[in-house]
Amino acid sequence: MTKAVHHKALSLSASELKFDDASRSFAGYASVFNGVDAYNDTILPGAYAHTLENRSRPIRMRWNHTGPVIGRWTVLREDDKGLWVEGQLTPGHSVAEDAYASLKHGAVDGLSIGYLIPPGGAEEKDGTRYLKTIELVEISVVEEPADAGALVANVKQVDPASPRELERGLRDLGLSKREAKRLMAGGFSALSDEDEEAAEIAAALRELNNELRV
């Protein structure tokens, strides 16, 4: 089974990023430590140490995870707060120019990491998953924190025979723990009164279910 690439977004305001108009450079945090996010995940200090020291190829800067490479990361380091990044968007690249303008205006949510969890890299305790080791794949400038369009690829990598793994897969796709449990217990209709994003995920899952029956 292919390893699933997880996504985790950090919403930032324009005031939380530093910009340099001349070089189209920006800097800020792509991830922070010790908080509990909507998936009940906590990233622990030191989680990125191995991947930053031992990566064999650059961490790509992408647009919305599946879009083009729009620049390069010039600095990636951990500090007491989280993963600090500095990057330069590619001059003259049309998508990069749009991304820079949207970031500076605060029209997009911020940055999102694409990552793998190696064996032994996470530990679950009292309903919270503690991420101890993260293997970075890419860091994207994103419009939305969850991508329903990536649903089919991610769901196909989850073992539906394992309720715990299925719930985790649904949460990785953008559902909260409560929403994932409701969907598993009550089916697609259980999310009909949830927010728009949850409804989109339920609709995409319904389409996938229909495809698999053909």
Side-chain angles (χ1 to χ4, degrees), residues 100-111:
Y100 186 79
S102 296
L103 270 174
K104 193 168 183 181
H105 185 245
V108 298
D109 286 337
L111 304 177

Side-chain angles (χ1 to χ4, degrees), residues 53-109:
E53 293 173 2
N54 298 284
R55 66 183 185 274
S56 59
R57 55 185 178 181
I59 305 300
R60 300 299 184 188
M61 181 193 297
R62 290 191 175 276
W63 174 246
N64 282 325
H65 294 300
T66 57
V69 174
I70 57 175
R72 60 189 180 92
W73 297 111
T74 57
V75 174
L76 294 160
R77 69 168 184 266
E78 283 192 344
D79 61 20
D80 292 340
K81 182 176 179 179
L83 179 65
W84 174 262
V85 299
E86 299 176 17
Q88 181 180 22
L89 289 149
T90 302
H93 191 298
S94 60
V95 178
E97 292 289 341
D98 290 345
Y100 186 79
S102 296
L103 270 174
K104 193 168 183 181
H105 185 245
V108 298
D109 286 337

Side-chain angles (χ1 to χ4, degrees), residues 118-135:
E123 179 179 347
E124 191 154 347
K125 183 179 179 181
D126 298 329
T128 298
R129 183 174 64 166
Y130 294 90
L131 304 182
K132 302 182 293 183
T133 304
I134 286 176
E135 181 183 340

Side-chain angles (χ1 to χ4, degrees), residues 96 118 194:
E194 297 289 344

